[in-house]
Amino acid sequence: MDSSDGKRTRNPWLGVFGAALFLISTHGFAQSIGVVQSYLELNQLQDYQTSDIGWIIGLYSLLSLVLGIIAGPLIDYFGIRPLTAPALVLSTLLYFVMAECTNYWHFMLCLGVLGGVGGAVASTLAISAAGKLFVERRGTAIGFALAGASVGGVAIPLLLNATFPRFGWAWSMRILGFIILVLNLIGSLCLVLVSDQVPLNTDLGIRSAAPSLEAFGSGTFCFTTVGFALIELAMFGINGLLPTFAVSVGFSLQTAYVLLSVLAGSSFFGRIVAGVAADYIGSFNALVIMNTFSAVVTAALYVPFGDRSPKALFAFASLWGFGSGSCLSLVPACVGKTCDRKDYGRYLGTMLSVTSISALIAIPAGGEMLDRFGPRATAGFFLATAVGSSISFTFARWRLGGKFLNFTQAI
C-alpha cells in the first residue's frame, strides 16, 4: 500500500504476525508454566511444597502484569519501535539464565523477577501493537496475535517433555532459548516495519508516558477489570496447577504434560474464532457468552469428575482451553471500547496491573488448597471465580449501553 505522501505503507497484519511471535515466549511460556513447576517439584526443588514453588510462579505472573502500568504509557508516548529491543533481550535472556539455576533463590530472581519484567515489556508491547494497528477489526487482530501464545502453549510442553529426559534441565532451557531468540528476532523486525502506523499520545508532553488512573472514571472499564481479575485467577490457577492436579489424582507426569498441550491447542481455535466473532456480534457479547461457557464446562466436568476420570479431565482441558483462550483475546478488544486509540496502551497496562494480584496468588493459593482440601474443593473455588467473572462482564456490557440480557445489539 502507498500513503498519500508517497511513502510505502506496509500491511499492518505484518505487525500482528510479529506480535504473535513475541507472545509465544511470554503468554505461551506462561501457559506452559505448569510443566516447569512440576519438573522443579520432582528435581531441583523437591524439598519444597507446591505452594512454596507457587510463589516463584506467582511473582513471575505478578510482575508480567503489574509492570504493564509502566510499559503501556511508554508505548503510547514513544511508540513500539524503542521498546522492541528491550523486549527482545529480556524475554530471551530468561531461558539462558534459567539454565544455570539450581537453588530456590536462583529461580526466584531469574524466573520470578527477570522473567516477570521481560514478560511485562514483551507482552504489553505485542498486545498494544495489535490493538493500536486496528480499530474495526481489532478483535480479529488481537485474536490472531494471541493465537501465538497458544502455539507456544502447545509446543513448549511437548518440547520440554522430549528434552528433559534426554538432555536434562540446563540444555532443555538453552534449546528453548535459541528457538525463542529466532522467533523474537523475526517478531522485532515485523513490529519495527509497521511502527510508523501506530498512533502516539503526546498531548501532555512527557507526562503522557506516566501511569494514570483516569481509566477508572469509566464504569465499563472497572467492571471489565474486575471480571478479568476473576477469570485470570481461575486461568492462572487451573493452567498452572493442571499437571500437579493430574499427578495428585494418579495420572503420569507425561499425561499431565499432554493435558497442557491439549488445553493450549484448543485455546488457539478459541482465540481466533472469538476474535472474528467479536467483530460481528460485538466484543462484549462474545466475551460474556464465552466466559459463561467456561464456567459451565468447569461445573459440568472439572468439579465432579476431574479427580477420578482421565477422559473427563481431557475433555475439560480441551473445552476450558477453548473458552478461557477466547476470553484472553476478547478482553483487550473490549478495553479498546473504553478509550481512544492513542490511549490504548495506558488503559491496557492499567488493567493488567490491577489484575496482577490474581496472578500472584492463583498458584500459591490453589496449591495450598490442593494440599489441604483436595482437588474437588480446589476445582470448586475456581468455578466460583469463573461465575463471578461472567457476572462482572455482564455488568460491564450493560454500562456500555446494552440491554442487560438482550444480546441482539452488537456491543
Side-chain angles (χ1 to χ4, degrees), residues 231-289:
I231 196 61
E232 282 274 274
L233 184 61
M235 283 191 288
F236 273 100
I238 291 175
N239 296 1
L241 289 172
L242 195 59
T244 302
F245 186 99
V247 170
S248 72
V249 297
F251 302 141
S252 68
L253 191 58
Q254 286 70 30
T255 299
Y257 289 171
V258 173
L259 274 173
L260 278 183
S261 294
V262 169
L263 188 154
S266 60
S267 72
F268 175 87
F269 297 102
R271 287 167 182 174
I272 292 178
V273 170
V276 174
D279 291 334
Y280 291 93
I281 69 173
S283 301
F284 274 100
N285 286 345
L287 178 60
V288 172
I289 291 170

Side-chain angles (χ1 to χ4, degrees), residues 224-232 235 328 331 351-352 355 389 393:
T224 302
T225 300
V226 171
F228 191 50
L230 290 172
I231 196 61
E232 282 274 274
M235 283 191 288
L328 276 182
V331 168
M351 184 192 67
L352 293 178
T355 59
S389 177
F393 286 141

Side-chain angles (χ1 to χ4, degrees), residues 6-67:
K7 295 181 180 179
R8 179 175 176 79
T9 302
R10 294 180 173 83
N11 194 319
W13 287 102
L14 184 64
V16 174
F17 178 68
L21 294 180
F22 259 114
L23 288 169
I24 290 176
S25 64
T26 54
H27 280 33
F29 179 69
Q31 284 187 226
S32 312
I33 204 72
V35 176
V36 174
Q37 168 146 343
S38 59
Y39 184 89
L40 295 178
E41 285 182 9
L42 298 176
N43 295 278
Q44 293 99 319
L45 303 181
Q46 58 183 304
D47 295 331
Y48 292 85
Q49 297 292 324
T50 299
S51 56
D52 296 328
I53 302 172
W55 284 113
I56 300 174
I57 311 302
L59 180 61
Y60 163 79
S61 303
L62 170 73
L63 292 179
S64 66
L65 292 174
V66 74
L67 294 180

Side-chain angles (χ1 to χ4, degrees), residues 67-93:
L67 294 180
I69 199 171
I70 298 175
L74 289 175
I75 293 167
D76 284 342
Y77 183 75
F78 292 105
I80 62 176
R81 183 190 294 262
L83 290 179
T84 52
L88 167 66
V89 172
L90 291 173
S91 61
T92 304
L93 184 63

Side-chain angles (χ1 to χ4, degrees), residues 182-206:
V182 173
L183 295 177
N184 284 354
L185 282 171
I186 299 173
S188 297
L189 177 61
C190 292
L191 290 177
V192 167
L193 289 175
V194 299
S195 60
D196 59 341
Q197 299 178 49
V198 175
L200 304 181
N201 180 5
T202 57
D203 296 341
L204 300 176
I206 192 62

Side-chain angles (χ1 to χ4, degrees), residues 17 77 145 166 171 175 213 228 288 320 364-365:
F17 178 68
Y77 183 75
R166 186 171 181 180
W171 271 106
I175 291 170
L213 299 180
F228 191 50
V288 172
W320 170 260

